[in-house]
Amino acid sequence: AVGELMFGMNLLSFSVTDEEIERAKRELKAALFSQPTSAEASCAELGKQMLAYGRGVPPAEMMLRIEGVDAEEVKRVAWKYLNDNEISATALGPLHGFPQYYDLRRATVMHRY
């Protein structure tokens, strides 16, 4: 399972399509704006925004930010932060079968010939 996860993360640097980005945008908007409107959920969302942006973000601005993402931007960011970089892994429970750090680190590089 870890190998498949690493492979999928590597693919973000190379092969993200516009259709996948549009689907992800729709799902993100649906998740953001169909949340329950309890005080606890509102405070949790505001806390996330404060950590990420240093202020509360109005819904209209959030929609503009989401719409501003395209496939090339995802590839650029994935290449910068995920491709051939140091990683950190945490596991809980029996660790037999969990890959060694060297194997995980090596999986961050995808050789494309």
Side-chain angles (χ1 to χ4, degrees), residues 73-95:
E73 182 73 5
V74 171
K75 289 178 192 177
R76 184 190 66 77
V77 171
W79 180 264
K80 180 177 180 181
Y81 293 107
L82 300 177
N83 190 54
D84 196 20
N85 273 322
E86 296 297 325
I87 62 166
S88 146
T90 303
L92 179 66
L95 298 179

Side-chain angles (χ1 to χ4, degrees), residues 4 8 16 27 29 32 46 58 61 63 71 78 88 100 109 113:
E4 290 296 318
V16 176
E27 290 178 11
K29 288 181 212 174
L32 285 175
L46 181 60
E61 181 182 344
M63 292 293 281
S88 146
Q100 296 293 317
V109 179
Y113 298 103

Side-chain angles (χ1 to χ4, degrees), residues 15-109:
S15 61
V16 176
T17 65
D18 289 327
E19 293 82 23
E20 291 171 324
I21 297 298
E22 290 305 318
R23 181 177 47 86
K25 286 181 187 180
R26 281 193 310 271
E27 290 178 11
L28 179 58
K29 288 181 212 174
L32 285 175
F33 297 111
S34 67
Q35 295 177 352
T37 56
S38 69
E40 182 180 357
S42 297
C43 288
E45 184 62 31
L46 181 60
K48 289 179 199 175
Q49 292 172 2
M50 291 297 291
L51 288 172
Y53 304 108
R55 61 184 176 84
V57 179
E61 181 182 344
M62 187 60 73
M63 292 293 281
L64 288 174
R65 287 177 178 264
I66 292 170
E67 284 302 320
V69 175
D70 62 353
E72 290 305 314
E73 182 73 5
V74 171
K75 289 178 192 177
R76 184 190 66 77
V77 171
W79 180 264
K80 180 177 180 181
Y81 293 107
L82 300 177
N83 190 54
D84 196 20
N85 273 322
E86 296 297 325
I87 62 166
S88 146
T90 303
L92 179 66
L95 298 179
H96 62 277
F98 191 77
Q100 296 293 317
Y101 175 79
Y102 175 78
D103 296 325
L104 291 174
R105 174 64 176 88
R106 191 175 51 173
T108 64
V109 179

